[in-house]
Amino acid sequence: MPQEPERERTSQHTKPERRIDARSLRGLAHPLRMRIFELLSLDGPATATGLSERLGENTGTVSWHLRHLAEHGFIEEETGRGTKRERWWRRVGTANRLDTADFRDDPDSRGALSVYLHELTQQHFARVTRYFTEEWDDRWRNAGTVSDWSGLRLTPDQLAALNADLMAVIARHTPAPDAEPAPDALPVVVQLQSFPRKERGTA
């Protein structure tokens, strides 16, 4: 289990963070619900019908999970759009923060935490895999990167400072929500992964 908190970071222009508690964690920690939440986060509002087609799931099942996510405050209905039979759903405009230390002494939450971390890792892996398998022109292919640096030896405070610096850089490059994007701009995902590793020969 990771020692550092897992955070879903967004730009400095967004609304305040929401700290995920045990109840909301159990509401989110389900493979299909996390996939639905990911699609609404990345691609914007959608209906149960549209999501079911993308996910290959029954519309009724997707509708049930949408209501569950709404009950726990992760998504909301987009009012003024759709009909009584076809509701549109969107992600709530709040950044989520999960600190694994909050659940260290809560055995009832360990299962949900395990599901959440597993599905989150799978989502990150799947995004990278899609990037490698999709067709991109050389300009975009050369702009992206999947890199790692393994020669660092840091204290916990130094690692936290490194992460804070990297997040500050991302925030500086994140435009305000009302900014007009450049004509050739595309959505970009930044996945930051930094963690300690056990040295060989240690438990």
Side-chain angles (χ1 to χ4, degrees):
M1 183 180 298
Q3 299 302 310
E4 291 300 315
E6 183 283 320
R7 293 183 177 89
E8 175 193 312
R9 291 289 187 178
T10 55
S11 125
Q12 58 189 337
H13 305 289
T14 58
K15 296 179 181 179
E17 280 186 338
R18 171 197 182 185
R19 189 159 180 158
I20 296 179
D21 58 18
R23 180 178 179 276
S24 56
L25 174 62
R26 288 191 290 269
L28 179 61
H30 181 281
L32 182 54
R33 281 198 290 276
M34 288 187 66
R35 183 70 178 120
I36 291 170
F37 186 62
E38 180 190 33
L39 292 179
L40 293 177
S41 298
L42 293 177
D43 299 326
T47 64
T49 299
L51 290 168
S52 66
E53 291 173 353
R54 297 181 64 184
L55 295 166
E57 297 284 344
N58 179 275
T59 302
T61 300
V62 172
S63 294
W64 187 88
H65 285 293
L66 283 166
R67 291 193 297 270
H68 203 75
L69 286 168
E71 178 185 342
H72 289 274
F74 290 102
I75 67 171
E76 62 188 1
E77 184 177 359
E78 190 168 55
T79 57
R81 185 176 183 180
T83 65
K84 290 183 179 180
R85 296 186 61 183
E86 190 72 296
R87 304 164 72 183
W88 284 80
W89 298 93
R90 66 186 177 195
R91 176 192 167 132
V92 172
T94 303
N96 294 303
R97 168 176 171 168
L98 183 145
D99 289 329
T100 57
D102 291 347
F103 309 98
R104 185 175 297 136
D105 300 320
D106 182 7
D108 293 337
S109 297
R110 287 177 186 164
L113 181 61
S114 178
V115 170
Y116 174 84
L117 295 175
H118 177 269
E119 292 302 319
L120 188 72
T121 303
Q122 292 299 308
Q123 285 182 0
H124 288 186
F125 174 77
R127 292 173 190 172
V128 175
T129 301
R130 281 195 299 271
Y131 166 68
F132 282 133
T133 57
E134 291 170 340
E135 291 294 329
W136 293 96
D137 62 40
D138 289 344
R139 185 162 170 255
W140 277 109
R141 182 65 71 188
N142 293 332
T145 184
V146 176
S147 307
D148 74 298
W149 295 264
S150 57
L152 293 81
R153 295 188 71 89
L154 304 175
T155 66
D157 287 344
Q158 289 171 331
L159 177 57
L162 170 63
N163 287 332
D165 287 346
L166 293 171
M167 291 173 188
V169 171
I170 295 167
R172 288 201 305 272
H173 287 269
T174 304
D178 57 351
E180 188 69 25
D184 61 344
L186 288 176
V188 170
V189 173
V190 179
Q191 296 182 181
L192 174 60
Q193 298 160 343
S194 61
F195 46 85
R197 67 178 181 87
K198 298 288 185 181
E199 290 192 280
R200 184 176 299 175
T202 62

